[in-house]
């Protein structure tokens, strides 16, 4: 329930924040009467949490007592309230209210595991142990709850038709009456302890042992069925009851209905947020939710027992010392405003200004808020101190007026006139957007002395006429005039080499500066070198065999070096070959050592395939400890991922 209450409060706060945001207008609320009558129908779920008295002492010499646990379930609630409220303040958002609330609640009060054993006297005057076990102890409880609410009220109106309201405050309880109907039934059993009297007769006494003596006389179902498995237990009990014994199975109370009222109701809490639909300024419909919590205190009956004999019954609610009632659900109702409307002064609550979209283009506007909806209004203002201009128009349903087709400048003396009422607004300034060059792309001339260079300016307003002035090598050049392309670019072609400075692009009365740049003609290329002389020579087997990242597969491009090394080894059987594997500095060093050794072994495998005796081959893995180049560049790392072959005259 606490989570639900927090959800209600959060929802109220959120809607209230929206209502007071920059798009809200207080004028509709201020025009509504301060006095209101709220009438709501409420319906939802109900619950009760019970605290009961300890009635064990009320059972004479009680044994094996379990008076059960009382719970409430299947609760529902419906009813209504009527309130008179008054809203105060200039904006009339907050108010107070009181009235009358009636709620009808229905649910089931259940008592489980009821079983008691105590000392009793039967119809023949004999003392014995009475055993009572409860079955289906359920009470259908219909409660009527009457309260006087004392609440704080909040309301805000979003527009002509929609608003939000919240009532929150205390509930003063006048009555909490519970009418119950029970379906309880009980098993009454008896245990007699017989003792020898002084006059040689027998008398019945109370067996106060938790476990009755086996010598006692049991009038119980268990004892009967043990001795008479095919007997009729009900006939047996009926015969005993006819003789004055208080026994019976499944016996219902003589009276199954009754009333009980909680003696003391304390102050409760009520929260009731709603969305409001305004049919007019005098009537609004409410649609929302509600939550109520009320604690009650009760004086449990003295010497309370659920039943003290066949046919007797006292409601489980008579043992309640405290009950916390909670109800929550939906509400629907109506709000009636009455009394004289105050003639509030005309107010311009705010002005939203929109500057022109292009330089010197008069498509700016002013939106004036807070005026009386649907009224004829005249808007006056001065532009840059010039004579006032008047615009006659109609306020829309939200209290707004928009003045369009405005140029840049300072607007002062803004007034709104509706009949004889006048309102003044704050000055507004509309500014032309800034023209800027977002970037430049240059192309050098193709040859020295040829004027085919160019520059492209980006970010200018598309479709507008632009004039670009600049200096070439310190001398003013002829102005360039064109229309900006749809992609916001302008290109100046036919430029020669040189330094371009003082670049200014002008659109109407707005200007943007460009960055200086220099165009340079390329130097003629040198003559091509003579073709290389090809000299037949042996392949250098000491050239490194390179590998891909984290790989140890020999690429086919390295096969010539391996073929040459294999040929030399087979031609001279006295030679030995060492293969040194290496890695770049990426990764951890233990992994690099394994990877470098795998690369050396991969080369060894290729040599073995080509007929070299593996006993004449030796492999080493150096990890990244012997770099051939820097590991700070990708090209250096590529050179370090290698294996190098070296032929020696003996085995080292």
């Amino acid at each position: 329930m606490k989570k639900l209450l927090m959800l209600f409060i959060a929802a109220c706060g959120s809607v209230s924040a929206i209502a007071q945001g920059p798009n809200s207008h207080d004028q509709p609320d201020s025009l509504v009467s301060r006095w209101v009558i709220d009438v709501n129908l409420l319906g939802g779920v109900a619950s009760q949490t019970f605290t009961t008295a300890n009635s064990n002492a009320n059972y004479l010499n009680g044994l094996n007592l379990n008076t059960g646990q009382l719970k409430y379930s299947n609760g529902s609630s419906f009813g209504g309230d009527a309130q008179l409220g008054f809203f105060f303040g200039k904006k009339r958002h907050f108010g107070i209210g009181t009235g009358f609330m009636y709620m009808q609640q229905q649910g089931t009060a259940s008592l489980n595991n009821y079983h008691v054993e105590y000392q009793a006297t039967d119809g023949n005057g004999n003392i014995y142990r009475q055993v009572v076990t409860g079955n289906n102890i359920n009470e259908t409880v219909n409660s009527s709850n009457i309260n006087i609410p004392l609440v704080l009220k909040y309301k805000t109106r979003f527009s002509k038709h929609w608003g939000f309201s919240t009532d929150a405050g205390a509930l003063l309880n006048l009555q909490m009456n519970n009418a119950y109907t029970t379906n309880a039934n009980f098993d009454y059993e008896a245990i007699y302890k017989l003792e020898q009297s002084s006059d040689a007769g027998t008398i019945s006494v109370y067996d106060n042992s938790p476990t009755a003596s086996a010598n006692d006389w049991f009038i119980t179902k268990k004892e009967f069925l043990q001795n008479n498995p095919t007997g009729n237990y009900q006939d047996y009990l009926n015969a005993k009851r006819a003789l004055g014994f208080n026994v019976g199975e499944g016996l219902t109370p003589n009276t199954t209905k009754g009333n009980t009222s909680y003696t003391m109701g304390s102050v409760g809490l009520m929260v009731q947020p709603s969305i409001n639909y305004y049919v007019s300024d005098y009537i609004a419909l409410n649609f929302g939710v509600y939550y109520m919590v009320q604690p009650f205190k009760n004086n449990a009956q003295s010497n309370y027992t659920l039943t003290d004999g066949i046919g007797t019954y006292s409601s489980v609610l008579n043992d309640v010392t405290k009950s916390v009632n909670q109800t929550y659900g939906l509400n629907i109702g109506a709000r009636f405003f009455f009394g004289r409307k105050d003639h509030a002064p005309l107010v311009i609550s705010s002005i939203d200004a929109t500057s022109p979209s292009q330089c010197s283009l008069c498509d700016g506007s002013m939106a004036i808020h807070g005026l009386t909806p649907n009224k004829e209004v005249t808007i006056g203002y001065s532009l840059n101190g010039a004579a006032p201009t008047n615009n006659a128009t109609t306020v829309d349903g939200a209290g707004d007026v928009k003045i369009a087709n405005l140029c840049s400048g300072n607007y002062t003396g803004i007034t709104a006139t509706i009949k004889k009422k006048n309102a003044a607004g704050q000055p507004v300034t509309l500014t032309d957007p800034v023209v800027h060059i977002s970037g430049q792309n240059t192309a050098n001339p193709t040859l020295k002395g040829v004027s085919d260079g160019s520059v492209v300016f980006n970010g200018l307003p598309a479709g507008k006429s632009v004039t670009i002035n600049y200096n070439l090598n310190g001398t003013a050049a002829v102005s360039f005039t064109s229309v900006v392309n749809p992609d916001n670019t302008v290109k100046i072609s036919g430029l020669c080499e040189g330094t371009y400075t003082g670049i200014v692009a002008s659109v109407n009365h707005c200007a943007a500066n460009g960055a200086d740049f220099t165009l340079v003609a390329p130097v003629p290329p040198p003559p091509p070198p003579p073709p290389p002389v090809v000299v037949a020579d042996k392949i250098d087997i000491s050239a490194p065999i390179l590998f891909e990242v984290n790989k140890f597969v020999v690429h086919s491009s390295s096969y010539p070096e391996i073929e040459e090394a294999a040929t030399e080894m087979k031609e001279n059987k006295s030679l030995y070959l060492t293969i040194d594997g290496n890695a770049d500095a990426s990764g951890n060093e233990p992994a690099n050592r394994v990877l470098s050794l795998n690369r050396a072994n991969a080369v060894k495998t290729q040599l073995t395939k080509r007929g070299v005796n593996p006993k004449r081959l030796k492999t080493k893995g150096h990890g990244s400890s012997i770099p051939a180049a820097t590991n700070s560049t990708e090209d250096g790392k590529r050179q370090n991922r290698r294996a190098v072959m070296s032929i020696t005259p003996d085995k080292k």
Side-chain angles (χ1 to χ4, degrees):
M1 295 303 172
K2 291 182 180 178
K3 292 183 179 179
L4 181 60
L5 178 57
M6 294 302 295
L7 179 62
F8 285 165
I9 294 173
C12 295
S14 300
V15 177
S16 176
I18 294 172
Q20 299 184 46
N23 295 323
S24 66
H25 312 306
D26 296 320
Q27 189 72 2
D29 268 356
S30 64
L31 293 179
V32 175
S33 173
R34 297 180 183 273
W35 290 96
V36 63
I37 292 177
D38 283 315
V39 179
N40 293 287
L41 295 177
L42 312 173
V45 179
S47 68
Q48 293 192 50
T49 303
F50 296 115
T51 302
T52 57
N54 187 345
S55 59
N56 288 355
N58 298 337
Y59 294 90
L60 181 61
N61 295 325
L63 294 170
N64 304 321
L65 297 176
N66 183 359
T67 54
Q69 184 178 5
L70 184 59
K71 294 183 178 180
Y72 187 88
S73 61
N74 303 320
S76 61
S77 176
F78 64 93
D81 69 350
Q83 296 180 24
L84 174 65
F86 176 78
F87 289 92
F88 44 81
K90 181 178 179 181
K91 297 181 180 179
R92 304 182 193 175
H93 286 323
F94 294 94
I96 55 175
T98 187
F100 177 84
M101 174 181 285
Y102 175 83
M103 297 297 294
Q104 186 76 29
Q105 300 162 13
Q106 185 178 67
T108 301
S110 303
L111 188 68
N112 59 354
N113 301 324
Y114 179 81
H115 178 90
V116 295
E117 299 177 20
Y118 57 92
Q119 180 180 334
T121 304
D122 65 17
N124 299 316
N126 295 314
I127 296 173
Y128 69 106
R129 180 191 296 198
Q130 179 75 71
V131 181
V132 183
T133 303
N135 305 309
N136 303 322
I137 305 176
N138 297 318
E139 291 185 5
T140 300
V141 181
N142 289 287
S143 305
S144 58
N145 187 3
I146 300 176
N147 296 284
I148 294 178
L150 297 175
V151 298
L152 291 175
K153 290 178 170 290
Y154 172 81
K155 69 175 176 66
T156 187
R157 193 169 173 183
F158 308 147
S159 63
K160 179 179 180 181
H161 289 295
W162 292 101
F164 171 79
S165 64
T166 300
D167 293 346
L171 293 175
L172 304 181
N173 183 257
L174 299 181
Q175 174 187 297
M176 183 62 171
N177 182 63
N178 302 297
Y180 69 87
T181 301
T182 183
N183 64 345
N185 65 82
F186 300 91
D187 296 339
Y188 296 89
E189 299 173 307
I191 302 174
Y192 286 82
K193 182 177 181 181
L194 303 177
E195 292 184 349
Q196 196 71 27
S197 68
S198 58
D199 58 358
T202 58
I203 61 173
S204 177
V205 297
Y206 180 59
D207 184 347
N208 60 358
S209 172
T211 302
S213 171
N215 296 323
D216 290 349
W217 176 34
F218 291 84
I219 308 179
T220 65
K221 187 173 186 177
K222 180 179 179 182
E223 182 72 15
F224 176 81
L225 293 178
Q226 284 179 348
N227 297 313
N228 303 278
T230 60
N232 189 309
Y233 180 57
Q234 276 291 3
D235 291 345
Y236 170 73
L237 293 179
N238 292 339
K240 294 300 181 185
R241 191 163 62 252
L243 296 174
F245 297 102
N246 291 327
V247 292
E249 182 181 37
L251 300 181
T252 58
N254 294 333
T255 301
T256 59
K257 297 181 179 180
N259 291 276
T260 180
S261 298
Y262 295 140
T263 56
M264 291 172 286
S266 56
V267 178
L269 172 68
M270 166 188 176
V271 180
Q272 191 172 333
S274 299
I275 295 296
N276 313 121
Y277 177 78
Y278 283 80
V279 179
S280 69
D281 285 346
Y282 296 96
I283 300 175
L285 303 180
N286 301 329
F287 307 93
V289 294
Y290 74 94
Y291 172 77
M292 295 188 300
V293 58
Q294 287 183 292
F296 294 92
K297 293 183 179 180
N298 191 40
N299 293 327
Q301 288 184 352
S302 60
N303 299 322
Y304 170 84
T305 58
L306 184 63
T307 177
D308 56 6
I310 294 174
T312 64
Y313 181 81
S314 180
S315 170
V316 295
L317 300 180
N318 288 331
D319 195 34
V320 172
T321 59
K322 182 180 179 181
S323 173
V324 179
N325 290 22
Q326 298 184 81
T327 61
Y328 55 91
L330 304 177
N331 79 72
I332 183 171
R335 168 168 288 183
F336 304 94
F337 296 93
F338 66 97
R340 183 181 63 86
K341 288 187 179 181
D342 289 348
H343 297 286
L346 186 63
V347 176
I348 296 176
S349 61
S350 62
I351 300 177
D352 295 331
T354 302
S355 294
S357 61
Q358 301 288 350
C359 187
S360 298
L361 183 64
C362 294
D363 63 349
S365 64
M366 288 189 298
I368 301 174
H369 306 301
L371 303 176
T372 307
N374 306 314
K375 296 293 184 180
E376 298 294 327
V377 64
T378 299
I379 305 296
Y381 57 84
S382 298
L383 174 58
N384 298 327
T389 300
N390 293 327
N391 291 269
T393 184
T394 302
V395 183
D396 67 17
D400 302 334
V401 167
K402 183 175 181 179
I403 307 299
N405 302 321
L406 299 182
C407 304
S408 62
N410 296 317
Y411 291 80
T412 58
I414 300 173
T415 60
T417 303
I418 297 179
K419 294 185 178 180
K420 296 182 179 180
K421 293 183 179 181
N422 295 288
Q426 294 294 323
V428 170
T429 298
L430 305 185
T431 57
D432 283 321
V434 177
V435 174
H436 68 283
I437 297 174
S438 62
Q440 298 174 193
N441 305 104
T442 59
N444 290 314
T446 56
L447 291 174
K448 194 172 184 64
V450 177
S451 298
D452 60 353
S454 65
V455 60
V456 176
F457 297 100
N458 303 309
L460 296 172
K464 296 296 180 180
S465 177
V466 61
T467 299
I468 300 177
N469 295 290
Y470 57 90
N471 300 321
L472 174 58
N473 298 325
T475 302
V478 178
S479 299
F480 173 82
T481 301
S482 182
V483 176
V484 181
N485 297 319
D487 62 352
N488 305 106
T489 63
V490 168
K491 182 177 182 180
I492 303 178
S493 302
L495 300 181
C496 58
E497 64 178 349
T499 300
Y500 293 79
T501 59
I503 301 168
V504 178
S506 300
V507 178
N508 293 335
H509 301 290
C510 302
N513 295 322
D516 297 344
F517 63 93
T518 299
L519 300 182
V520 179
V523 178
V533 177
V534 179
V535 179
D537 198 2
K538 285 186 177 182
I539 296 173
D540 183 9
I541 67 170
S542 65
I545 297 171
L546 303 182
F547 293 84
E548 295 181 2
V549 177
N550 206 28
K551 300 292 178 63
F552 51 87
V553 176
V554 178
H555 196 269
S556 59
S557 61
S558 297
Y559 286 174
E561 288 85 354
I562 294 175
E563 294 283 355
E564 179 64 24
T567 300
E568 292 184 26
M569 292 292 290
K570 288 186 287 186
E571 289 176 353
N572 191 339
K573 303 296 183 179
S574 64
L575 297 178
Y576 290 84
L577 189 141
T578 300
I579 309 166
D580 295 280
N582 297 271
D584 65 30
S586 301
N588 58 65
E589 192 55 24
N592 286 338
R593 287 196 293 272
V594 173
L595 179 61
S596 63
L597 183 58
N598 287 338
R599 288 169 175 167
N601 287 331
V603 176
K604 178 181 178 180
T605 300
Q606 293 293 329
L607 290 168
T608 303
K609 288 181 179 180
R610 288 164 175 76
V612 179
N613 188 340
K615 293 183 178 180
R616 299 169 60 200
L617 303 175
K618 183 177 181 179
T619 59
K620 297 180 182 179
H622 301 285
S624 62
S625 63
I626 309 177
T630 178
N631 277 298
S632 60
T633 65
E634 290 301 318
D635 183 67
K637 291 180 181 180
R638 183 184 64 80
Q639 297 181 54
N640 290 335
R641 297 190 294 270
R642 72 196 191 281
V644 179
M645 298 182 294
S646 58
I647 295 178
T648 59
D650 55 4
K651 184 177 182 181
K652 294 183 180 179

